[in-house]
Amino acid sequence: MTIKVYYNQKCMVCNLEISHYKKKNIPNLVWVDINVPSEDLKLLNKSYKDMMRRLHVIDNDKIYAGAKAFIVLWSNMPKYQLLSKLLSLPVIFQIFHIAYEFIAFLLYIKNLRNVN
């Protein structure tokens, strides 16, 4: 089953992290740069700014965004499955979600200048 990961390659931090994951060569993960126009992006029915704001993942035709997208991504990467399980625990997930949203917002503000 293919999992599509939508990320902002123009974001230095985002690209650095995704490049790390790409090196794992996990066959069922497809990496989609949101800066390259594609039919995939149209199917998500989200604006470019929405896509810039958070990581998005499609798994089993369901769209995940933000911290939940990372949980889905990591649960499909052998060396990250334990991290996925740990960060999925209810109280820990809430802390992870808040931290992700804070960091993602700062990156979004920083990267707004790349919006056409």
Side-chain angles (χ1 to χ4, degrees):
M1 166 180 356
T2 299
I3 296 164
K4 291 188 178 181
V5 182
Y6 297 85
Y7 71 102
N8 182 2
Q9 189 170 359
K10 289 183 180 178
C11 169
M12 186 174 66
V13 173
C14 307
N15 191 45
L16 183 66
E17 183 167 8
I18 296 301
S19 293
H20 169 76
Y21 299 146
K22 284 180 173 181
K23 290 177 186 174
K24 307 294 180 193
N25 293 320
I26 299 171
N28 65 321
L29 297 178
V30 175
W31 308 98
V32 182
D33 176 10
I34 64 167
N35 299 292
V36 178
S38 73
E39 290 301 313
D40 272 2
L41 290 175
K42 290 178 186 174
L43 294 174
L44 289 172
N45 200 27
K46 294 191 178 215
S47 73
Y48 178 67
K49 285 185 178 182
D50 288 340
M51 295 301 291
M52 272 185 59
R53 180 67 180 81
R54 292 174 185 86
L55 178 79
H56 289 75
V57 169
I58 296 181
D59 183 22
N60 284 326
D61 295 325
K62 187 167 179 187
I63 301 170
Y64 300 92
K68 186 63 180 168
F70 270 103
I71 297 295
V72 172
L73 173 61
W74 292 331
S75 69
N76 286 278
M77 299 178 72
K79 291 186 178 181
Y80 292 85
Q81 289 173 346
L82 182 59
L83 178 63
S84 171
K85 289 178 184 174
L86 176 67
L87 292 176
S88 293
L89 296 171
V91 173
I92 295 173
F93 179 78
Q94 291 305 314
I95 295 167
F96 172 49
H97 172 73
I98 291 166
Y100 174 86
E101 288 298 321
F102 178 73
I103 293 167
F105 181 72
L106 293 177
L107 290 172
Y108 172 72
I109 296 300
K110 179 182 180 297
N111 290 299
L112 271 178
R113 67 178 172 262
N114 293 327
V115 176
N116 298 337

